[in-house]
Amino acid sequence: MSVKVSLSLFCFSPVMAAAAIVFATAVHSATIHAASGPEGHASRAGVIPIGRPVKVKVPLGLPPVPIPPENPPTEETIALGQRLYYDLGLSVDGTVSCATCHAPNLGFRDGKALSNGVGGQLGTRRAPTVVNAAYNALQFWDGRSPSLEKQAEGPMTNPVEMGHTLEGVVRHVQSDPTYRKLFAKAWGTEQITIDLVTKSIASFERTVVIGNSPFDRFYYGGDKKALSPSAQRGLKLFLNPKKGNCSVCHVIGKKYALFTDNKFHNIGVGADTRGNLADVGRYTQTKNTLDMGAFKTPTLRNIAETAPYMHDGSQATLKDVVDHYVGGGTSNRYLDKEIHALDFLTFNERADLKAFLESLTGTMPPNVGPPADLPSEKMQTAQRQ
């Protein structure tokens, strides 16, 4: 059997670049094809997939997807991870799945400023998108997780999100005969561990890669008609260090664009009029005062579909985002040195920047929705408000 899987501001980090060298040359196709041979079946971390290996082939505008050697993707682990991703049973009361906050119909977000977890509890930060999260050097807004595998554990045990225990998640999965068969097929064992659960989810999430947007076809594909005149002007403003200077953080490379520098910046969001910060961001992890109020630079891909914006969901529209930078953000002592008022931009230039941001929407990959055989009572995805 073969499987095809097409697939909430900015250069590729040295760690990511080093990892990418290990992988096969990217092909400009948003599909996954089965690969023959035993590549990747030697692991330094114990249990590894036993199924049919696949190579993630990325669309135009993206580099090879970094794959950890201890978790090479297979047809079976991707399918298993997809099922787990949509399963409400991973939450303590059976009301929240990964897809509750990261749904494909909403750009793998939930369309909310702040997300709701078990018992209707409200979180304190906006749910980031899963789109191209495979390229993140660190996960979460504050970078507290080093990988997609470790990230998957966080929401499960967060009392406001899924409210479960890792042991409880394993009991839920282990009690399901279908899961036991799927784990045996994917991992060669019916003895399920949380490590195998999170590895499977991560393998599925690494298939959610999106490129081949109008921007990509224009900038990397040579199609001069792919971008509107307004978006072309916006691209020039985006790149111009004396104008928008957006690419200083939302990086556009010569061969691909992640639209993130994989770093953390204080951009004047979440500060009051006296410069006091409601959320100290990256500082919680590093205890370095230079990281006060700094948050991970998010990708801009498919940004038109992932409103509202910023780590706290405080900007409702793309126009609001542009206006935030026009005003130079809210002043505070830790504001990034690259943030300064862009009030010299004309209204037409601001509209051009917005048009460029809208050109970053690629095609959402097929076959990343809920599995057809997952019972409806175990499945829920976000609904637009």
Side-chain angles (χ1 to χ4, degrees), residues 105-141:
N105 59 311
L106 296 176
F108 278 90
R109 280 204 63 250
D110 61 2
K112 300 177 181 179
L114 301 175
S115 300
N116 296 104
V118 293
Q121 297 180 85
L122 196 64
T124 58
R125 292 175 182 166
R126 164 183 172 266
T129 180
V130 173
V131 169
N132 294 354
Y135 297 106
N136 292 341
L138 297 170
Q139 305 293 334
F140 292 112
W141 283 106

Side-chain angles (χ1 to χ4, degrees), residues 148-356:
L148 282 175
E149 285 79 2
K150 292 301 294 183
Q151 185 279 331
E153 291 184 7
M156 294 179 193
T157 58
N158 187 308
V160 177
E161 296 184 56
M162 301 173 89
H164 222 324
T165 63
L166 299 182
E167 295 79 10
V169 170
V170 170
R171 282 196 298 272
H172 162 72
V173 178
Q174 188 80 55
S175 67
D176 187 327
T178 298
Y179 272 127
R180 291 200 299 270
K181 291 178 182 177
L182 291 174
F183 272 88
K185 188 177 180 181
W187 295 97
T189 177
E190 290 189 7
Q191 295 304 306
I192 299 167
T193 65
I194 196 63
D195 181 58
L196 301 186
V197 170
T198 58
K199 280 183 175 181
S200 299
I201 293 173
S203 285
F204 166 66
E205 290 179 331
R206 289 192 176 97
T207 68
V208 187
V209 290
I210 294 179
N212 197 33
S213 66
F215 157 77
D216 296 299
R217 295 193 294 274
F218 173 85
Y219 200 77
Y220 298 114
D223 181 357
K224 300 308 179 184
K225 296 182 179 180
L227 280 188
S228 69
S230 177
Q232 291 185 42
R233 293 192 298 268
L235 170 59
K236 291 179 180 179
L237 292 167
F238 189 94
L239 293 169
N240 190 335
K242 295 182 178 180
K243 287 284 190 175
N245 196 34
C246 310
S247 60
V248 68
C249 294
H250 297 282
V251 176
I252 297 176
K254 292 182 178 180
K255 295 182 179 180
Y256 53 80
L258 295 181
F259 287 98
T260 177
D261 58 0
N262 268 305
K263 297 179 181 179
F264 301 81
H265 302 276
N266 179 320
I267 60 172
V269 172
D272 64 21
T273 55
R274 295 187 177 184
N276 299 311
L277 298 164
D279 188 335
V280 296
R282 180 65 173 159
Y283 175 79
T284 61
Q285 305 304 307
T286 67
K287 306 305 179 186
N288 184 337
T289 56
L290 296 178
D291 289 326
M292 286 289 289
F295 293 86
K296 183 177 64 179
T297 302
T299 182
L300 297 182
R301 289 190 174 276
N302 280 47
I303 191 172
E305 297 183 347
T306 56
Y309 305 103
M310 307 302 184
H311 71 271
D312 58 358
S314 58
Q315 307 296 326
T317 68
L318 282 179
K319 180 181 181 301
D320 293 333
V321 172
V322 172
D323 288 346
H324 170 81
Y325 288 105
V326 167
T330 302
S331 177
N332 68 89
R333 63 183 297 189
Y334 306 104
L335 191 68
D336 192 278
K337 61 182 178 61
E338 297 291 350
I339 302 298
H340 54 273
L342 302 177
D343 52 2
F344 52 83
L345 293 179
T346 68
F347 286 107
N348 286 340
E349 287 176 323
R350 299 174 197 185
D352 289 341
L353 269 177
K354 178 174 177 290
F356 170 67

